[in-house]
Amino acid sequence: MANPLPKEYYQQLEEIQAADFVMYELILYLDTHPHDPQALVQYKQFAQYSKQLKQAFEAQFGPLQQNSPNTSTAEWTWSTSPWPWQV
Amino acid sequence: MSSQPQSFSSLKSYVPRHGPFDPCPPIGCKYYSTPPNLYVGFQPPGLPQFSPREALKKGTLWKVFYDYYDNPYRKGGRSRG
């Protein structure tokens, strides 16, 4: 591969995946338990945490999604950075 | 890996009857899994949870729903073609 990705790329990505997984599990749980205060607090926590992780990741490694809100770099890097399946 | 000693297994099996005039060979033992969510019903709030990383690996956030699957047919069971 052109330039092997740094180790923390994968660490941060796994951390984002774990935070997102918990968030989506809680979303599904809250769909059927809208009045559960504890789950709501936990969901807000993880949604915030996931947002922070993504912002940090995207500032360092480029956009995670095509329409990621914080495009830090000047030029369009979505089509140049390694594609998700090439990671 | 489960906290309380599982007296029952989530893997159940049955043997379909093989009639005397059945042209095909007997199927033998067939397995089916009964995951924990069948027994829980409406999920109560405040169940114990895994840590985020572990939840990602295990596929569920709540410990009670974790259901490990290994192929009973491969482990010595009669492997259907």
Side-chain angles (χ1 to χ4, degrees), chain A residues 42-54:
Chain A
Q42 191 182 2
Y43 166 70
K44 285 198 179 108
Q45 244 178 357
F46 274 93
Q48 180 59 21
Y49 178 53
S50 167
K51 200 154 78 83
Q52 281 162 9
L53 284 178
K54 281 179 183 160

Side-chain angles (χ1 to χ4, degrees), chain A residues 3-4 10 14 17 28 33 43 58 62 64 72 74 78 85-86:
Chain A
N3 47 354
Y10 295 104
E14 192 179 347
Q17 279 176 329
L28 292 172
H33 300 70
Y43 166 70
E58 285 182 342
L64 272 168
S72 52
W78 168 249
W85 59 85
Q86 295 165 335

Side-chain angles (χ1 to χ4, degrees), chain A:
Chain A
M1 206 177 73
N3 47 354
L5 291 166
K7 211 156 66 66
E8 63 268 5
Y9 184 99
Y10 295 104
Q11 278 158 4
Q12 286 184 23
L13 205 55
E14 192 179 347
E15 192 61 27
I16 288 172
Q17 279 176 329
D20 273 358
F21 179 78
V22 173
M23 194 174 71
Y24 286 123
E25 281 274 294
L26 286 170
I27 285 172
L28 292 172
Y29 175 80
L30 286 167
D31 284 349
T32 49
H33 300 70
H35 307 302
D36 183 342
Q38 193 204 357
L40 199 58
V41 165
Q42 191 182 2
Y43 166 70
K44 285 198 179 108
Q45 244 178 357
F46 274 93
Q48 180 59 21
Y49 178 53
S50 167
K51 200 154 78 83
Q52 281 162 9
L53 284 178
K54 281 179 183 160
Q55 267 159 7
F57 182 89
E58 285 182 342
Q60 199 177 354
F61 296 112
L64 272 168
Q65 299 162 341
Q66 192 181 28
N67 51 4
S68 75
N70 39 28
T71 52
S72 52
T73 55
E75 74 278 359
W76 180 253
T77 58
W78 168 249
S79 50
T80 57
S81 61
W83 291 97
W85 59 85
Q86 295 165 335
V87 160

